[in-house]
Amino acid sequence: MISSSQPPIIPLTYTIAGCSEHSGRYVAENILLDNPLDQASRWSGAYQASNIKQWMLLELSQLSILSEQHSRTLTFGKYKESMILRHILKHLRQRRLLGPYHSILARTGFGQGDTSQQFEHPAVSSLYSSLVLQGQFSEAESVLSTCASQKLFALSILAFQPTALWTRISPIGDPEGVTTQPSARGGHAMCLDQERGLIYMFGGWDGRKSLQDFWLWNTRDMTWKFLGSNGPGPRACHRMVFDKPTGDIYVFGRLDEHVSADPPSPVTTTAPRSGHRHRAASSEPTPEGITDASMGPSTVSEDSGPLPSSRPTQFCSEFYRFHTRGPKEGEWELISHDVMMDGGPPLVFDHQMIIDCDTRMIYMSGGRVVDGDWDAVKYAGMYSYNMQSGKWRTIQPNDATGMHPNIAPRFGHSMVLDPESQTLFLFAGQRDDKYMADMYAYHLPTDNIIELYPNFATADGPDACFTQRAIIDPDLKEIYVFCGLTKGPPGTMSMLETEAPYWIYRYERPERPGIWTKILPPPSSSPAPPSRTGDVPLPRYAHQVVYDTDTKLFYMHGGNAGLEKEVPVPGDDVSMETASTSTRVSGGSAAEMEAGAET
């Protein structure tokens, strides 16, 4: 039997129990992933002065014995020998001592086998050879393109000020020169079929009436296609989402001419303010061409409230589905006449609805309740809808920190989903007469909620805003915010954000506060204000934005580009004047599609 005086050496597993203050995004937990080539896989202290001690407390997963010899050289996150070798090799190559450099590489096997032990990325070695050793500039440019395609510059790009490059898109006419396009509008809904490059748009408010026209924009051939007006009734401030696996579009929410309990009044050319339309209430029949999926056997439980027929039709929360492919292609379907009777939300407007295609779930939050009683302001909570079972569930987030009971109900806010971490980000919006600037992360599997910011305006973020639009890129871990209305000084009217209407929120971990950065327009030599030059769109609200994660392109359409009078608190009318009727628009109306690429 072979004996040894030394115990076996095994890797230790541990967690971070505590540490001194970290710098930026370089938190102590980064070292749990050992990737020496990744700058994000390191911990950095907040203070670099020699008289300040940096420390970290590790908690081992099991009882371990550290010998005196090994405890003196305990390393974590990266191998000390590997780091020393890298510094030596870098020094030799910089001094053009290539003989010792290649000798060390050959004798140590450094850079062979395990990629985590490479001296550097192979593309960087190729760049050094072509540019420094051979002077082949054309080849070096090709290598730089390879480096960019492999995202070797990703971290460096984050250090630069982001800018948005906007292009106004005008539809291409048919062979006879006839151009078909929707009228200018705000408060409409859009969703994107990314695989086919198709953007669907439905409804909205044109300054005089609610709309029910359904359109399709083809991003590849730059044309609009009218899909009809035989679907859901006229509406604005609704939401719709696209289900990638099935090609179905789900539509929920409504604000239209049939929701007021007040006597009728003359119709004006100005758009109604949020929450009030001066039209007489009337019942609305099921539009022609819609299959009513709610007419089958009733699934309403005994304690779920009155049957839908006992509620005024104009206050029923209908739920629709449109089929873009399959046997029912081109058909609308009424999933439920009133989802409130099925455990879902009441009829609302200016809510948020997002879809998780992988888990087959739709999430809806907030919105102002439409029930005819405009004196009592009511807001909806948070709900989930299972597309497979057809069941609604009320979500009750838990307070993970014990500092706040729940997310305050609101409307005109933003909500996006990080599907990888199954985390919802919810922020901004309006409650009563207050514009909000708080931000929450809600972890769906555990129902835990974390307040990221009580006021992100004090953390170098945007001002409190209402009807802003938000898009998330889960791969880049970035949230893009297109600001809407903001509050001016006390006693002044609401205003559009003109100095910095676009923002990026970057995060490493959803449960930790990230970093806000302004997205600026590209520099312009024109003496005119940036918002009036070139293809840069005017600041606006009640617009819609969709995002293609493959091409990294945003598509913005419609909205209100200017206010002509004060926007009152909920219960009054919020101006929905469309940009095409405003002289503030230069070079076309806001009905034309506008696409933006973030760089």
Side-chain angles (χ1 to χ4, degrees), residues 277-315:
R277 302 292 174 88
H278 292 288
R279 296 285 186 88
S282 64
S283 61
E284 178 184 350
T286 301
E288 296 179 2
I290 299 181
T291 302
D292 193 345
S294 66
M295 297 305 179
S298 175
T299 58
V300 180
S301 61
E302 294 182 358
D303 59 349
S304 61
L307 292 176
S309 58
S310 66
R311 282 161 45 84
T313 303
Q314 66 267 32
F315 302 136

Side-chain angles (χ1 to χ4, degrees), residues 5 11-13 61 104 137 152 156 169 218 222 282 294-295 326 347 367 372 439 461 498 565 587 595:
S5 59
L12 300 177
T13 58
S61 58
I104 292 176
F137 297 105
L152 298 188
S156 299
I169 303 176
N218 192 313
M222 310 281 284
S282 64
S294 66
M295 297 305 179
L347 178 61
M439 187 175 192
T498 58
K565 54 185 175 180

Side-chain angles (χ1 to χ4, degrees), residues 17-207:
C19 67
S20 56
E21 189 175 353
H22 66 273
S23 172
R25 68 185 66 186
Y26 300 111
V27 298
E29 286 78 7
N30 287 350
I31 70 167
L32 297 177
L33 176 63
D34 181 24
N35 188 358
L37 295 180
D38 186 359
Q39 285 293 320
S41 178
R42 69 183 180 92
W43 168 60
S44 177
Y47 308 101
Q48 304 301 322
S50 58
N51 61 336
I52 299 179
K53 293 184 178 180
Q54 310 290 339
W55 59 272
M56 183 182 297
L57 180 63
L58 306 182
E59 181 178 347
L60 301 180
S61 58
Q62 61 183 2
L63 181 64
S64 304
I65 299 176
L66 303 179
S67 67
E68 181 179 0
Q69 174 186 359
H70 293 99
S71 63
R72 291 178 179 175
T73 59
L74 178 66
T75 59
F76 46 84
K78 298 173 176 64
Y79 297 109
K80 180 179 291 187
E81 181 181 358
S82 300
M83 297 305 296
I84 293 176
L85 274 176
R86 283 191 177 87
H87 285 293
I88 292 174
L89 289 169
K90 182 179 179 180
H91 172 80
L92 293 174
R93 192 171 66 177
Q94 286 179 339
R95 297 299 185 271
R96 303 296 291 271
L97 301 174
L98 301 182
Y101 168 79
H102 290 294
S103 176
I104 292 176
L105 283 179
R107 296 183 62 178
T108 61
F110 199 58
Q112 301 177 5
D114 186 1
T115 56
S116 66
Q117 297 300 306
Q118 290 179 345
F119 166 53
E120 62 190 6
H121 195 283
V124 178
S125 298
S126 299
L127 180 62
Y128 178 85
S129 176
S130 59
L131 184 62
V132 179
L133 298 182
Q134 303 174 24
Q136 299 291 334
F137 297 105
S138 59
E139 182 179 345
E141 290 179 354
S142 176
V143 175
L144 284 174
S145 299
T146 301
C147 293
S149 64
Q150 297 185 13
K151 300 182 179 181
L152 298 188
F153 303 134
L155 287 177
S156 299
I157 290 175
L158 296 180
F160 290 90
Q161 171 66 52
T163 60
L165 303 178
W166 290 94
T167 302
R168 182 183 294 275
I169 303 176
S170 297
I172 298 176
D174 59 21
E176 297 181 357
V178 178
T179 300
T180 301
Q181 63 178 335
S183 60
R185 66 194 64 202
H188 50 302
M190 295 199 315
C191 62
L192 170 67
D193 181 350
Q194 186 165 304
E195 290 185 354
R196 299 184 178 184
L198 303 176
I199 298 175
Y200 294 88
M201 185 186 74
F202 175 70
W205 174 263
D206 67 356

Side-chain angles (χ1 to χ4, degrees), residues 52 127 185 189 258 267 304 324 377 400 464 478 511 562 578:
I52 299 179
L127 180 62
R185 66 194 64 202
H258 307 296
V267 180
S304 61
T324 66
V377 180
E478 294 181 340
E511 71 277 12
T578 52

Side-chain angles (χ1 to χ4, degrees), residues 209-456:
K209 63 183 182 302
S210 293
L211 306 171
Q212 65 178 114
D213 50 345
F214 193 28
W215 293 83
L216 181 150
W217 168 264
N218 192 313
T219 62
R220 295 166 185 169
D221 62 20
M222 310 281 284
T223 58
W224 282 104
K225 180 180 179 181
F226 178 57
L227 300 180
S229 298
N230 63 338
R235 64 196 58 221
C237 303
H238 52 293
R239 297 291 178 264
M240 67 182 190
V241 293
F242 182 83
D243 182 26
K244 180 179 177 180
T246 64
D248 292 341
I249 295 174
Y250 293 84
V251 178
F252 182 78
R254 169 169 50 88
L255 183 63
D256 64 17
E257 284 82 359
H258 307 296
V259 299
S260 174
D262 295 339
S265 62
V267 180
T268 63
T269 57
T270 58
R273 303 170 187 165
S274 281
H276 204 145
R277 302 292 174 88
H278 292 288
R279 296 285 186 88
S282 64
S283 61
E284 178 184 350
T286 301
E288 296 179 2
I290 299 181
T291 302
D292 193 345
S294 66
M295 297 305 179
S298 175
T299 58
V300 180
S301 61
E302 294 182 358
D303 59 349
S304 61
L307 292 176
S309 58
S310 66
R311 282 161 45 84
T313 303
Q314 66 267 32
F315 302 136
C316 290
S317 51
E318 317 104 327
F319 192 31
Y320 292 93
R321 175 166 52 207
F322 179 79
H323 303 277
T324 66
R325 55 179 182 257
K328 297 183 178 181
E329 180 179 351
E331 295 183 9
W332 282 98
E333 177 185 357
L334 178 60
I335 301 174
S336 176
H337 181 71
D338 192 352
V339 300
M340 184 177 178
M341 300 297 101
D342 304 327
L347 178 61
V348 293
F349 68 92
D350 274 343
H351 52 295
Q352 281 298 312
M353 185 169 71
I354 60 175
I355 189 169
D356 187 345
C357 298
D358 296 331
T359 62
R360 314 301 302 144
M361 299 295 292
I362 292 176
Y363 299 97
M364 199 282 288
S365 77
R368 181 162 177 194
V369 175
V370 178
D371 59 2
D373 182 9
W374 299 111
D375 294 328
V377 180
K378 310 178 190 70
Y379 306 98
M382 187 177 294
Y383 301 83
S384 66
Y385 175 75
N386 190 309
M387 289 182 281
Q388 290 182 322
S389 66
K391 300 295 184 182
W392 287 91
R393 182 176 76 92
T394 302
I395 297 177
Q396 297 290 345
N398 296 324
D399 180 15
T401 62
M403 297 178 63
H404 42 84
N406 265 315
I407 301 175
R410 63 195 68 195
F411 75 121
H413 56 294
S414 293
M415 184 173 72
V416 294
L417 171 69
D418 182 332
E420 181 178 354
S421 64
Q422 283 292 287
T423 300
L424 290 172
F425 293 91
L426 190 149
F427 57 95
Q430 180 175 349
R431 180 174 175 83
D432 300 329
D433 60 349
K434 179 183 179 182
Y435 285 7
M436 310 180 77
D438 52 351
M439 187 175 192
Y440 298 89
Y442 169 47
H443 189 232
L444 292 166
T446 61
D447 278 342
N448 284 335
I449 179 174
I450 295 176
E451 185 181 49
L452 298 174
Y453 296 101
N455 183 357
F456 47 67

